[in-house]
Amino acid sequence: MNRWTGDSRYARLDRRTLGIAVGAAYGVGLWTHVVHWRSGAREAHDVTFWAHWMRDSTLSIPLVLLAVIAAMMVVGRRASRIRIAGTIAAAVATALAVGVPVHAGIF
């Protein structure tokens, strides 16, 4: 840690990080489920739209949280908001893309 600027390469699990992760998990989860539902695709054991969205989004929170923490470690806490947002978006998209085959295997 640089004691003069307070910049640290280590990410903290604070309210901001947790809020970004939960917001991204539920926001992206809602978007994917709306697109999935509008396209007419259904799973073998069809559950209600809201239950499906809440189940999948809640299960993705740990993976998205790890992605947000990793992105914050890469970019640093003193970077510009645009750089932070872009790095977090790329990390979350990558994490959720990795989770798709796991979701397909489970459900």
Side-chain angles (χ1 to χ4, degrees):
M1 178 170 146
N2 184 336
R3 65 183 175 151
W4 303 111
T5 62
D7 191 17
S8 174
R9 297 303 278 179
Y10 300 105
R12 294 184 318 223
L13 181 58
D14 55 2
R15 284 186 293 176
R16 175 183 163 196
T17 306
L18 188 60
I20 291 170
V22 170
Y26 284 108
V28 173
L30 179 61
W31 174 254
T32 17
H33 281 86
V34 165
V35 170
H36 189 245
W37 179 71
R38 293 284 294 157
S39 70
R42 301 288 184 262
E43 290 186 353
H45 53 283
D46 199 22
V47 294
T48 65
F49 175 84
W50 299 109
H52 191 190
W53 167 51
M54 294 299 287
R55 177 196 69 193
D56 291 351
S57 297
T58 303
L59 288 174
S60 71
I61 288 175
L63 189 60
V64 173
L65 182 61
L66 287 174
V68 170
I69 290 173
M72 294 300 289
M73 289 174 68
V74 167
V75 77
R77 296 187 77 75
R78 293 275 193 195
S80 68
R81 290 179 190 233
I82 299 278
R83 187 171 177 205
I84 291 173
T87 306
I88 288 174
V92 168
T94 303
L96 290 175
V98 167
V100 168
V102 175
H103 175 270
I106 295 173
F107 302 109

